[in-house]
C-alpha cells in the first residue's frame, strides 16, 4: 500500500528528488526530508526551487524525446 502511494506521488510529481538522488548518489528519502524541513525554515524557498527544477527537467526530457525522434529518420 505504501509503495503504491510513493509510486503515485513519484509518477505525478516532477521527479526532482529522484533525479537529484541518482545524480549525487544520495538516498531519495533524505532529499525529500531536506526539502520538507528546509521549506519550514526558509519559508517556502525550497518549494520554489523544486518547481523550477521540475519545469527544467520536464523541458529537458521533452527536448530529449524530440531530438531522438528526429535522429531516427
Amino acid at each position: 500500500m505504501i509503495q503504491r502511494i510513493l509510486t503515485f506521488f513519484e509518477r505525478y510529481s516532477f521527479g526532482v528528488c529522484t533525479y537529484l538522488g541518482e545524480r549525487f548518489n544520495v538516498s531519495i528519502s533524505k532529499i525529500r526530508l531536506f526539502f520538507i524541513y528546509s521549506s519550514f525554515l526558509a519559508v517556502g524557498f525550497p518549494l520554489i526551487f523544486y518547481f523550477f527544477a521540475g519545469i527544467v527537467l520536464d523541458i529537458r526530457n521533452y527536448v530529449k524525446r524530440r531530438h531522438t525522434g528526429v535522429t531516427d529518420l
Side-chain angles (χ1 to χ4, degrees), residues 6 16 38 55 66:
L6 289 175
V16 175
S38 61
I55 291 169
R66 187 127 168 111

Side-chain angles (χ1 to χ4, degrees), residues 35-49:
F35 274 113
I36 291 169
Y37 292 143
S38 61
S39 66
F40 285 123
L41 295 174
V43 191
F45 177 73
L47 294 176
I48 295 170
F49 170 76

Side-chain angles (χ1 to χ4, degrees), residues 23-47:
R23 179 83 174 183
F24 296 116
N25 199 20
V26 178
S27 173
I28 298 167
S29 61
K30 289 181 182 180
I31 294 174
R32 287 184 181 134
L33 286 175
F34 169 76
F35 274 113
I36 291 169
Y37 292 143
S38 61
S39 66
F40 285 123
L41 295 174
V43 191
F45 177 73
L47 294 176

